[in-house]
Amino acid sequence: TVTTAIHANPMISLTAEEYNTYHKMMTHMETQYRAMTHTTNRLFKAQQQLQQLLKDDRLKQQQTLHNTAVSLHQKLKAWDAKMAQRLSKAYDDVENYENGFTAYYITLINQTDSEIPKITQGTTEKVKELDAQWAVLNTEAKALQTAIKTFNATCFKAGIGVITAN
């Protein structure tokens, strides 16, 4: 057993409050980012499943249900394009395609993470701006999740497979 203590770096003059602010901000941003990526991955999985379901002849035979599926697929694809850039295949492709929202958020986290744990006014403002954008995107995601549940119920009644993305 070794007893030890962790002390603040004497070469950095920050208060306990500033360390706490940094910890709270980083925890907040990491929590937000985790929610974004989990939601994006779940809805992308649903999009892929729906793409496969669109090939089902039973779905094609029911025009209204098929049209609903096509519309939902387009909405899922559009939302995913806002969140993630999936076109890049090589390192230099980043110049050819615009990043998705999650890339901007992780960049903010990376820029804030520092040996000197101080939250700047710029970071605070950018977090507020990106959190506001995420609130809108998250509302869209919840609407898509509701649409998937409704679509699944209709498919179930028609005896057609459902989307199981969790």
Side-chain angles (χ1 to χ4, degrees), residues 84-90 93 96-98:
Q85 189 278 103
R86 299 187 189 274
L87 300 172
S88 182
K89 302 293 181 212
D93 276 353
N96 299 322
Y97 305 109
E98 182 179 351

Side-chain angles (χ1 to χ4, degrees), residues 7-118:
H7 297 280
N9 185 338
M11 302 193 61
I12 301 171
S13 59
L14 293 175
T15 65
E17 183 179 334
E18 288 172 310
Y19 278 105
N20 192 38
T21 299
Y22 178 82
H23 175 70
K24 285 181 182 178
M25 180 66 78
M26 291 302 289
T27 301
H28 167 78
M29 289 190 296
E30 291 164 2
T31 301
Q32 291 284 77
Y33 185 73
R34 189 175 303 110
M36 286 172 209
T37 55
H38 285 267
T39 300
T40 302
N41 290 336
R42 277 194 313 273
L43 289 178
F44 185 66
K45 182 179 176 186
Q47 176 190 333
Q48 291 175 316
Q49 290 176 352
L50 185 54
Q51 188 170 346
Q52 289 302 312
L53 190 60
L54 282 167
K55 297 174 185 175
D56 190 321
D57 288 334
R58 294 173 296 164
L59 183 65
K60 291 177 182 176
Q61 293 170 358
Q62 298 195 28
Q63 191 63 40
T64 304
L65 190 55
H66 183 265
N67 291 344
T68 301
V70 168
S71 175
L72 180 57
H73 184 262
Q74 289 171 344
K75 289 175 185 174
L76 286 166
K77 198 171 180 181
W79 189 85
D80 186 72
K82 292 177 193 176
M83 295 301 292
Q85 189 278 103
R86 299 187 189 274
L87 300 172
S88 182
K89 302 293 181 212
Y91 177 73
D92 59 350
D93 276 353
V94 295
E95 297 173 358
N96 299 322
Y97 305 109
E98 182 179 351
N99 281 327
F101 180 75
T102 55
Y104 295 115
Y105 210 92
I106 194 69
T107 298
L108 175 61
I109 292 171
N110 289 337
Q111 293 296 319
T112 304
D113 187 20
S114 170
E115 290 178 14
I116 302 173
K118 184 170 177 130

Side-chain angles (χ1 to χ4, degrees), residues 79 133-145:
W79 189 85
Q133 290 176 26
W134 168 237
V136 171
L137 290 164
N138 195 28
T139 298
E140 291 175 19
K142 288 177 182 175
L144 287 168
Q145 290 167 338

